[in-house]
Amino acid sequence: MSRRQALKGLGTTVATLVVAPSIAAETKNVSEGNNPVLENPLDKYPKPPYPKQKQPHPGLASKMDPLPDHGEKTYKGSGRLLGRKALITGGDSGIGRAAAIAYAREGADVAINYLPAEEEDAKEVVALIKEAGRKAVAIPGDITDKDFCVTLIEKTVSELGGLDLLVNNAGYQKSNLSILDIHDDTFDATIKTNIYAPFWITKAALPHLPAGASIIATTSVQAYDPSENLFDYAQTKAANVAYVKSLAKQLGPKGIRVNGVAPGPVWTALQVCGGQEQDKLENFGGDSPLQRAGQPAELASIFVQLADNGASFSTGQIYGAAGGGGHP
Ligand code: NAD
Ligand code: MG
């Protein structure tokens, strides 16, 4: 075979390698030789209809059907957050747990906060952080209590020897079809958990945050496209967007970045313990272009990206993950 013929043949092979995966990916995941593994987001996870289910607040991820994926078996780190010191509120389950697993596997020591009733979920997360070879600190307590928020930061700083990554992720969501059904105590719990707590926690944390630190808030697609049954919750998530945009301006000159993540429908305990109507739960995420609910694991890399030094010019931004809906 002449050199020209050999190169021509090679060209065909390369073209086949490049084209083949994208064709095959239309129907299934592809893993061949040294080719990257392509995952089709449409059939990567369970689709609606989901089984109806109800748990008392705050709910446990371990009792959900199907079990959510927080990246326990899949998230692979590559040292992106080596030596970082993180606090994640609501780190026991859902989106916060996915961030906790990813942070630990990227090399961060991680403190998690959660409600005492969630100890069972929290224990699993602590074990996963330790398995990753990092320090895990569990600090149960109610963040609607201002004094506890101050204690939370004091304990985190003393146990981790500092703090440079604060994730205000805990949230309360209670579905009500009419404003007339929203009692003051529910309204209060929503505002206290979703607005006051990040305010108190951030104030207590700020004196400890060095230049290069990162603050991340979990907001929601509800901030931009509020559902009729989440009147109070949606307002708090819009407030979380304003928290990010304002604080980023205030803290930019100190070298501290502030960003937010805006999830769409994600399969977590929040939704099965009063956060959603049962008929909406059955078809959760079914109307999105990806035709299903997201899984917490699918948001982990966004939390890592926003925390990473590599995102040093990103502040005041909201990163969306809503299966094709949402605004930011
Ligand atoms: P989740 O129930 O797994 O996590 C919420 C956590 O908040 C709980 O685990 C709990 O530890 C914590 N929490 C609630 N009240 C608290 C209190 N008073 N004191 C201390 N901790 C408290 O559900 P999730 O969906 O992972 O929620 C995480 C964040 O994501 C929330 O801010 C929520 O608003 C937001 N979010 C969720 C979705 C979704 O579809 N699941 C969509 C958009 C935004
Ligand atoms: Mg929980």
Side-chain angles (χ1 to χ4, degrees), residues 202 206 209 215 246-258:
T202 307
L206 200 52
L209 297 180
I215 300 176
S246 170
L247 204 57
K249 288 178 183 154
Q250 203 181 111
L251 300 186
K254 294 185 192 302
I256 297 170
R257 296 183 297 109
V258 188

Side-chain angles (χ1 to χ4, degrees), residues 250-310:
Q250 203 181 111
L251 300 186
K254 294 185 192 302
I256 297 170
R257 296 183 297 109
V258 188
N259 292 290
V261 179
V266 181
W267 191 246
T268 69
L270 186 88
Q271 305 296 351
V272 303
C273 54
Q276 212 51 261
E277 301 298 318
Q278 286 292 309
D279 55 340
K280 286 207 179 193
L281 194 66
E282 240 186 331
N283 186 40
F284 201 45
D287 298 334
S288 74
L290 294 183
Q291 301 161 25
R292 62 170 174 85
Q295 293 291 329
E298 297 182 279
L299 283 79
S301 63
I302 304 175
F303 282 86
V304 170
Q305 170 65 14
L306 291 175
D308 190 347
N309 284 326

Side-chain angles (χ1 to χ4, degrees), residues 58-61 90 92-94 114 118 121 269:
L60 289 174
D92 60 303
S93 59
Y114 50 92
E118 299 171 301
D121 272 357

